Amino acid sequence: MRSGTVAVIGKANAGKSTLVNVLVGEKVAIVSPKPQTTRDRIMGILTREDGQIVFVDTPGLYKSRNALTGIMMRTTETTAKDVDAVLFVHDGHAGVREDDIALMKKYAALGVPMLIAYTKTDIMPKENIPADCKLLFDAGVEADVYPVSARKGRNIAKLADAVMALLPEGEPLFAGDVVSDRSEKFMIAELMREKILLKYEKEIPHGVAVIVNTFEKQENGAWRIDLDIVCEKKNHKAILIGKQGQALKETASFARKDMEKFLGAKVFLTVYVKVKEDWRDREKLIREFGYDEE
Ligand SMILES: Nc1nc2c(ncn2[C@@H]2O[C@H](COP(=O)(O)OP(=O)(O)OP(=O)(O)O)[C@@H](O)[C@H]2O)c(=O)[nH]1
Ligand SMILES: [Mg+2]
């Protein structure tokens, strides 16, 4: 039996969280077309008869612009050093650039075995795949490359087999039916943030934190959930709420449906929007909102 941890590393928006969800077979991490969707490390656990892989999804590599992204980048760096293997996720349809090669070499040099998942092959010309693999090989990137499509589920089992083969012999770290190290309450906050990432543009979603204040199962089996959407500026609050509250109503209803699916029960959701000026640069608030670097 094999068992171990695998850091899932790559540029922001590469498709890391989507790939982890598909590998694990359940949604453990939120996904959006915007960079910096993942803020925290999240474990996604795949248990099979031959072993257990604990994927550690990380915030995507991105230029840090504030205290929050600084913490996010440090989280990714410490995760990469503290695992049995690295799965480097590359967005194949974005092509291979100098900085991609530099990043791959950096993580390959950490001293743990590394594989490259070359993803999004469903939206690119197939003939680019061998050419890009050759480019990486010629550039001296020492890792096997697995072309996959998380969206279409292509080559996912093959990739999982290859990752498993890198892990040491050992007993599972988690019980067989556990798919994530995160609580239901954490996932509820993340589902709300996902809908905000999907609904609003520019700086608004990046400046939002979601705090769940009430998460209670009622006697009739329904959940009562009260949460705060904390944003950075008064004008962001106005945009989040929209004319006559319409935008917020739609976003909350979108989130509530997903929460009901996730919890398998009816949800009564109450959402408040609050302003904490420039919280992303205030370490104390960042910690209060749950983004710390353990
Ligand atoms: N066509 C296609 N799109 C994909 C695939 N994998 C991910 N995507 C899309 O790429 C975007 C980014 O996906 P995420 O999984 O959030 O990317 P990430 O690397 O976790 O991003 P950060 O958390 O911001 O670093 C989303 O719009 C996904 O739907 C794929 O295999 N094919
Ligand atoms: Mg992500």
Side-chain angles (χ1 to χ4, degrees), residues 108-148:
L110 286 181
V112 291
M114 180 172 112
L115 286 182
I116 298 169
Y118 176 108
T119 190
K120 307 195 192 180
T121 57
D122 57 295
I123 48 168
M124 58 173 288
K126 300 292 158 287
E127 55 274 22
N128 291 6
I129 302 173
D132 281 350
C133 290
K134 183 168 183 311
L135 193 68
L136 294 176
F137 182 81
D138 291 346
V141 175
E142 286 182 31
D144 289 339
V145 182
Y146 286 78
V148 297

Side-chain angles (χ1 to χ4, degrees), residues 104-272:
M104 289 172 192
K105 284 187 163 173
K106 171 183 161 181
Y107 289 97
L110 286 181
V112 291
M114 180 172 112
L115 286 182
I116 298 169
Y118 176 108
T119 190
K120 307 195 192 180
T121 57
D122 57 295
I123 48 168
M124 58 173 288
K126 300 292 158 287
E127 55 274 22
N128 291 6
I129 302 173
D132 281 350
C133 290
K134 183 168 183 311
L135 193 68
L136 294 176
F137 182 81
D138 291 346
V141 175
E142 286 182 31
D144 289 339
V145 182
Y146 286 78
V148 297
S149 163
R151 186 166 288 174
K152 302 270 181 200
R154 272 188 218 141
N155 272 340
I156 300 300
K158 228 182 191 169
L159 175 66
D161 288 347
V163 171
M164 188 71 89
L166 295 178
L167 299 183
E169 293 281 334
E171 289 307 307
L173 302 164
F174 290 88
D177 57 345
V178 175
V179 293
S180 170
D181 67 326
R182 295 295 185 156
S183 64
E184 286 181 325
K185 189 174 162 187
F186 172 84
M187 198 58 195
I188 290 299
E190 287 288 271
L191 288 175
M192 186 73 239
R193 207 163 58 76
E194 182 181 59
K195 303 311 175 243
I196 295 166
L197 278 155
L198 296 173
K199 272 267 197 193
Y200 299 92
E201 292 307 317
K202 304 214 173 91
E203 270 309 284
I204 303 216
H206 295 305
V208 156
V210 175
I211 317 295
V212 177
N213 293 312
T214 310
F215 181 63
E216 274 173 13
K217 195 168 190 170
Q218 318 282 79
E219 273 182 19
N220 61 7
W223 287 83
R224 205 188 114 212
I225 300 174
D226 296 347
L227 55 82
D228 291 343
I229 297 173
V230 182
C231 65
E232 289 193 309
K233 299 197 161 46
K234 274 203 188 114
N235 64 323
H236 289 186
K237 177 172 173 175
I239 295 168
L240 279 160
I241 293 174
K243 277 203 184 94
Q244 276 139 17
Q246 195 55 33
L248 186 64
K249 214 187 217 164
E250 283 172 25
T251 314
S253 154
F254 188 17
R256 180 179 49 74
K257 287 187 189 125
D258 234 24
M259 291 171 188
E260 290 183 334
K261 209 167 101 192
F262 173 70
L263 294 167
K266 203 164 171 48
V267 167
F268 293 96
L269 177 65
T270 315
V271 174
Y272 305 90

Side-chain angles (χ1 to χ4, degrees), residues 8-22 29-39 57-62 72-73 89 91 93 118-124 148-154 156 194 198 206:
V8 182
I9 308 267
K11 278 186 182 168
N13 213 37
K16 298 174 293 299
S17 300
T18 310
L19 186 58
V20 169
N21 290 340
V22 173
I30 61 166
V31 165
S32 93
K34 298 193 176 69
Q36 298 183 287
T37 295
T38 305
R39 285 181 177 167
D57 190 13
T58 62
L61 306 168
Y62 200 78
M72 284 159 53
M73 291 310 98
V89 180
D91 177 349
H93 107 289
Y118 176 108
T119 190
K120 307 195 192 180
T121 57
D122 57 295
I123 48 168
M124 58 173 288
V148 297
S149 163
R151 186 166 288 174
K152 302 270 181 200
R154 272 188 218 141
I156 300 300
E194 182 181 59
L198 296 173
H206 295 305

